[in-house]
Amino acid sequence: MKLYDSRRAPNPRRVRWFMAEKGIEDIEVVDIDIFGGQHRTSEYLAKAGLPNVPALEMDDGRTITESVAICRYLEALYPEPNLFGEDPCESAVIEMWTRRAEMMVATPLMMLVRHSHPALAAIETQLPEIAAANRAMAEKGLKMLDRSLADSEFIACERLTIADILAATGLDFARMARFRPDPELVNVKRWLEGMMARPAAKAGV
Ligand SMILES: N[C@@H](CCC(=O)N[C@@H](CS)C(=O)NCC(=O)O)C(=O)O
């Protein structure tokens, strides 16, 4: 299999972090230069179907995109440690937090960076009002995370899951826009420090 990756991009980093937590080392990682437009070439589009990284080319030649879908596929192939849920109830709770982490924290933070960092002007028509609205959305999402993390070391249950990886990669990327969680969110602070201290945090950066 081949993973089409792009250094410093937050969505491929989710997959790299996920692979590192599972100790997956037998997937070839191919770097795609998104600032040079390599993800827009006809060769890449023929494989991925859209100009986005990450993409995973499977052994039979088919390619899937969407970081969470790729992680879900890898979970089936490399089940340990479990990061998506051991039983129906746990899987549903992890799915709930995965969607919240993505929709209420990670995506707004990525939009904030996309619409405010000068380097991203190369791939986005930047609108300050979109940056501001997404910053506000992420701040609200982080308050919700902080309440949940008061009772738990990790976001979805008492161990690391895919939900933690989505929120942590989004927050780390947002440092490009000088975004830091409100220091009063002490549970988010403790959780994020723990996440960034994991060896897997170094994967794909
Ligand atoms: N929902 C997709 C998002 C993929 C995505 O937006 N990737 C960014 C890099 S983080 C990208 O390829 N951007 C290229 C562009 O916007 O031109 C996923 O989770 O994989």
Side-chain angles (χ1 to χ4, degrees), residues 9-12 14 39-40 51-54 66-67 114 123:
N11 289 294
R14 295 170 170 180
H39 63 313
R40 298 191 183 279
N52 275 169
V53 282
E66 296 301 327
S67 51
R114 246 184 122 91
I123 58 169

Side-chain angles (χ1 to χ4, degrees), residues 45-142:
L45 288 172
K47 281 187 202 301
L50 82 178
N52 275 169
V53 282
L56 182 77
E57 191 175 344
M58 297 182 280
D59 285 336
D60 66 3
R62 283 182 297 172
T63 302
I64 48 170
T65 58
E66 296 301 327
S67 51
V68 179
I70 293 170
C71 291
R72 197 178 280 284
Y73 179 65
L74 295 179
E75 174 91 351
L77 299 185
Y78 305 83
E80 299 299 331
N82 177 286
L83 298 176
F84 271 94
E86 300 268 16
D87 58 52
C89 180
E90 204 186 64
S91 300
V93 171
I94 294 170
E95 176 76 12
M96 174 184 85
W97 281 108
T98 298
R99 293 177 72 82
R100 288 181 179 179
E102 183 158 43
M103 292 191 282
M104 299 167 80
V105 177
T107 301
L109 289 173
M110 288 180 213
M111 291 295 281
L112 164 63
V113 177
R114 246 184 122 91
H115 281 271
S116 62
H117 193 282
L120 276 292
I123 58 169
E124 185 63 77
T125 306
Q126 294 182 317
L127 297 171
E129 54 275 31
I130 293 190
N134 278 283
R135 175 185 283 274
M137 215 183 297
E139 281 167 350
K140 203 167 150 195
L142 285 168

